[in-house]
Every structure is written in structure tokens, then in C-alpha cells.
Amino acid sequence: MKEIMDASSMKRSLVRMAHEIVEKNKGVEGLVLVGIKTRGEFLAERLKQMIDQFEECDIPCDSLDISSWRDDIERGEVQPPVLGVPVQDRIVILVDDVLYKGRTVRAAMDGIMHSGRPRAIHLAVLVDRGHRELPIRADYVGKNVPTSLNEDVKVLVSETDGQDGVYIS
């Protein structure tokens, strides 16, 4: 495995992304952060802490388990979860670790819409590796990493993996 981002470069990318989010939205009014479980939820929490610190605010933040909206898994009569933060008429910043084919993001957008009708949904990803199958693009990107289809990109976060880093194999 080859390291493409260490802990300090991950932090720098997240700080830059946090500033871009505030700048593009002309402040934090009406913003909600939603992280896609599992690693996206930790990245969303980090972005929240950064924005809260330099904007002196308290942005709502939640996580979303997208398994109810996946199109590749058969589910029985399971009631999909509802977000714990209101999204109606808000700008939702959807956060994930890696953007690849776009199917995870599509499922997450379905999950957000299940909880209300946001004014807009923006996508923030730590790594964009290309190879989209759906017309989805990130609004905020930590790092673009061109990959081949047979390569894997792995994001490690200290909350679950004991260290921060992005690796390609």
C-alpha cells in the first residue's frame, strides 16, 4: 500500500474544505452537516468542529446509515431511519470519505430526502478517485486521486482505525 495522505495532509485538506464550505455558502446560516456512516460521519464531525471554532457557532451535524436506500441489497419491510437534525429548507453538506462510482452518494441523497426537502445538497469528500457511473460530482474535495479500476483507496480515521491516512493499493 502506498500512502497518498498522512495525518497532517488530511487535516490541512479538511481545514481548507471547512473554509470553502463557509465561503461558498456566505456563512453558516442554514447549514447542516450529514456524514455517511462510517468514516464520513467522523469527517463530518471534524468539519463541524473546525467550522464551529472559526465561525463561533454550533452547526447541526448528524450521520446517516444508507443501507435502507442501497439498490444492491434486498431489504424486507424495514422502516428507514430519519435524520435527527432538520433538513427542511436547509443546505445539507453531505460528507463521505471516498467518491467513486456515485452509488453511495445517490443512496445518501435518497435518505436525506426521506427526512425532508432541503434547499440544496452539497457533497464534500476527502478523496475523489473518479470512475463515476452516475452524474454526481463533489462540491468540496480534499484530494483528487486518479486511479485505475483495479486499485483500492482506503481512508483510515483515528476514531475507528487508530490513525489517520489515505492509502492506495
Side-chain angles (χ1 to χ4, degrees):
M1 290 202 337
K2 176 184 169 195
E3 183 179 65
I4 56 175
M5 292 178 88
D6 61 12
S8 62
S9 62
M10 272 181 68
K11 183 176 181 180
R12 279 192 304 276
S13 290
L14 289 170
V15 167
R16 178 181 42 78
M17 291 168 65
H19 284 287
E20 287 174 359
I21 289 167
V22 173
E23 184 177 330
K24 181 175 181 173
N25 292 287
K26 297 176 177 55
V28 296
E29 188 66 35
L31 290 183
V32 173
L33 293 169
V34 176
I36 299 174
K37 288 190 176 202
T38 295
R39 286 170 181 81
E41 75 181 297
F42 299 117
L43 297 175
E45 185 58 38
R46 291 182 193 188
L47 287 169
K48 173 199 174 15
Q49 291 172 2
M50 291 170 186
I51 294 170
D52 286 354
Q53 182 180 10
F54 58 73
E55 289 294 310
E56 299 177 358
C57 63
D58 186 17
I59 294 179
C61 185
D62 203 354
S63 61
L64 181 63
D65 178 352
I66 62 156
S67 58
S68 294
W69 294 280
R70 300 259 317 244
D71 60 6
D72 59 344
I73 298 174
E74 284 295 320
R75 299 278 177 206
E77 293 293 321
V78 177
Q79 185 66 16
V82 176
L83 286 169
V85 297
V87 297
Q88 188 71 31
D89 296 322
R90 296 194 168 207
I91 298 171
V92 175
I93 309 297
L94 183 60
V95 182
D96 203 8
D97 57 348
V98 178
L99 177 56
Y100 184 27
K101 296 183 178 189
R103 295 190 177 277
T104 298
V105 173
R106 190 229 23 104
M109 289 190 298
D110 287 349
I112 290 168
M113 299 300 282
H114 178 76
S115 296
R117 188 177 190 278
R119 183 173 355 137
I121 299 173
H122 297 175
L123 178 60
V125 295
L126 185 62
V127 177
D128 184 344
R129 64 170 289 186
H131 304 289
R132 227 65 86 237
E133 292 179 353
L134 299 172
I136 291 173
R137 66 164 177 76
D139 300 281
Y140 314 99
V141 178
K143 186 174 183 78
N144 285 294
V145 180
T147 62
S148 71
L149 289 172
N150 63 350
E151 291 177 308
D152 288 321
V153 175
K154 181 71 173 164
V155 174
L156 302 180
V157 292
S158 58
E159 293 89 342
T160 59
D161 306 306
Q163 69 179 47
D164 287 341
V166 179
Y167 299 88
I168 192 167
S169 60

